[in-house]
Amino acid sequence: MVEHLAELARGRCSITEELILSTAEEDPAYAEILAGVLYLHDDLAYHAGLEARRAQDHALLDDATRLLAASIDAGEIARTAVAIMVGKVADACAVDVVTDAKLTRLAGPSDARATTTRGHNDPVAVAFATGHTQQPPASDDAPALLALPLIARGRRLGVLSLERHGPGRSFDADDLTLAEELTRRVALALDNAVLLDEARRAVKARDLFLALVSHELKNPLQALMLQTELLASRTPDARTTIKSVLRAAERIDRLVGDLADVAASEAGRLTVQPSAHDVAASLAEASEPFGEFCQARGLHYALELTDDLPRAAHDRDRLAQVLGNLVGNAIAATQPGGSIVVSTRLQVGAIVVSVTDTGSGIAPAELAHVFDTYYRAPDADYRGAGLGLAIARAIVEAHGGRMWVESRLGEGSSFSFSLPAA
């Protein structure tokens, strides 16, 4: 008896049913003990097998998560799914996705039905139509089949099908659980690829539209502005009305330019042409229109430049565009009697330019979004498309600098940007 228990402790057992039967005639009590030891051994072996399978399944799920996340291409994801399944879960695997209202084979064995409308009773078609796993009854003359719908965010993307060949090779409950977990990961990866593809196509369509708008509107707007200026010079009595028309045309022209800049920035094509210039001179030139405009609005405007500012490589036109956007926003946010100051300071290796106002300020919850494209604060009391700050930051970053904001609600804001010193 001790010998058999020692074997059990080592994970082995030499007790057989024949030994128990032969012992039962001579010593029934001892035979019952042997039967108990054999049962204990079998139970331990069964649970050890379950633990080993669970560990193996968890490792497979971890590998699948890592491998599927490595790609953003739907075809490659489908091929990766097949490679994961075959040999570990099934003998064959296929991934069908819905395209133009029909299931199309994306990876796996070729199938004449893959690019045609499947029959109503086809397990793959049923799985897709119902959103439920299909497991037809096993038979000797057909492989065991699982058809699992690929569903992500409530949307049916296709079907992953698994086959096992040979007698006794059916899928049990544990196989089904593992297959469904793997299918869920495949669906999430495919959904991410679909979303990315949709986003790319949307961006491309938007860029094409903006390019068309910019191209088709620029020339007529320029002609309109020139003709309006000419008309104003020849018709003094209607000069005020004509100037209103001209200002409206100029706003449209700026908006078209802003839209083109935003599209170029998001596509990584925003162009700047920096060369070494006197930063103080560039800022002074860009600031010239602001003093008169602020005075007309009852605002105090000041340009405070640090002495001996070093030269810096910058695009003067683009710098004027940045300053115009920042000062324009400050004017819109500041009530009569307030002030706007453009100032500079030196940091290690950089020149910092700040535009500070005594306006309404920005709520803390809005600060994280002020540079987002098309963003306008919910309580903004001035017009704008939400493009100026996004464009200004993109221009500064194209120069190798950065832009940030500090603000207190009711006290004003300070927008700053840096330019690398030459």
Side-chain angles (χ1 to χ4, degrees), residues 20 37 62 83 92 117 204 249 257 315 350:
I20 295 172
V37 172
D62 290 342
T117 302
K204 184 177 181 180
D315 184 321

Side-chain angles (χ1 to χ4, degrees), residues 1-10 12 15 33 37 40:
M1 182 63 195
V2 174
E3 177 185 352
H4 293 307
L5 290 176
E7 284 184 342
L8 187 64
R10 293 193 297 271
R12 297 194 300 269
I15 299 174
I33 294 173
V37 172
L40 181 60

Side-chain angles (χ1 to χ4, degrees), residues 29 61 72 80 87 172 180 197 217 238 260 262 330 345 366 383 385:
L61 290 170
I72 53 175
T80 299
D172 60 23
E180 287 179 336
D197 183 61
L217 289 184
V262 165
R345 67 179 186 272
E366 310 299 329
R383 292 179 299 174

Side-chain angles (χ1 to χ4, degrees), residues 74-121:
E76 186 173 344
I77 290 169
R79 290 188 291 274
T80 299
V82 170
I84 291 169
M85 299 290 189
V86 173
K88 299 181 179 67
V89 182
D91 298 321
C93 173
V95 177
D96 296 301
V97 297
V98 63
T99 305
D100 298 329
K102 63 185 178 183
L103 289 170
T104 301
R105 180 61 47 87
L106 201 59
S110 60
D111 188 340
R113 301 171 299 168
T115 56
T116 61
T117 302
R118 292 175 176 267
H120 293 300
N121 295 326

Side-chain angles (χ1 to χ4, degrees), residues 182-261:
L182 288 167
T183 300
R184 187 176 65 85
R185 286 161 169 75
V186 175
L188 289 173
L190 285 173
D191 187 52
N192 288 336
V194 170
L195 289 175
L196 180 61
D197 183 61
E198 290 174 351
R200 283 173 171 169
R201 285 189 280 113
V203 169
K204 184 177 181 180
R206 184 205 61 187
D207 289 348
L208 289 173
F209 172 75
L210 292 178
L212 178 64
V213 169
S214 300
H215 181 268
E216 295 298 325
L217 289 184
K218 270 292 185 182
N219 290 338
L221 277 172
Q222 292 295 331
L224 174 62
M225 292 162 63
L226 289 172
Q227 293 297 322
T228 304
E229 289 176 354
L230 180 61
L231 186 60
S233 67
R234 293 179 178 179
T235 317
D237 294 340
R239 187 168 295 166
T240 300
T241 302
I242 293 172
K243 283 188 175 180
S244 296
V245 174
L246 180 60
R247 284 195 296 273
E250 288 172 342
R251 283 197 297 271
I252 296 173
D253 186 55
R254 284 196 299 272
L255 179 57
V256 170
D258 285 349
L259 288 171
D261 280 344

Side-chain angles (χ1 to χ4, degrees), residues 194-366:
V194 170
L195 289 175
L196 180 61
D197 183 61
E198 290 174 351
R200 283 173 171 169
R201 285 189 280 113
V203 169
K204 184 177 181 180
R206 184 205 61 187
D207 289 348
L208 289 173
F209 172 75
L210 292 178
L212 178 64
V213 169
S214 300
H215 181 268
E216 295 298 325
L217 289 184
K218 270 292 185 182
N219 290 338
L221 277 172
Q222 292 295 331
L224 174 62
M225 292 162 63
L226 289 172
Q227 293 297 322
T228 304
E229 289 176 354
L230 180 61
L231 186 60
S233 67
R234 293 179 178 179
T235 317
D237 294 340
R239 187 168 295 166
T240 300
T241 302
I242 293 172
K243 283 188 175 180
S244 296
V245 174
L246 180 60
R247 284 195 296 273
E250 288 172 342
R251 283 197 297 271
I252 296 173
D253 186 55
R254 284 196 299 272
L255 179 57
V256 170
D258 285 349
L259 288 171
D261 280 344
V262 165
S265 171
E266 293 185 351
R269 298 193 304 266
L270 184 69
T271 58
V272 296
Q273 297 176 334
S275 57
H277 293 294
D278 185 330
V279 175
S282 297
L283 292 173
E285 180 181 344
S287 295
E288 287 179 1
F290 302 145
E292 183 178 346
F293 195 79
C294 286
Q295 186 177 5
R297 293 285 301 269
L299 303 172
H300 171 70
Y301 178 78
L303 176 64
E304 300 176 355
L305 300 176
T306 307
D307 293 334
D308 300 324
L309 278 179
R311 293 165 68 85
H314 62 277
D315 184 321
R316 299 185 69 179
D317 292 336
R318 289 294 195 181
L319 179 61
Q321 185 179 355
V322 171
L323 199 63
N325 285 345
L326 296 180
V327 174
N329 284 352
I331 291 172
T334 306
Q335 297 298 316
S339 64
I340 298 171
V341 178
V342 176
S343 61
T344 60
R345 67 179 186 272
L346 294 176
Q347 284 186 345
V348 178
I351 300 168
V352 176
V353 182
S354 297
V355 176
T356 305
D357 64 61
T358 58
S360 55
I362 304 170
E366 310 299 329

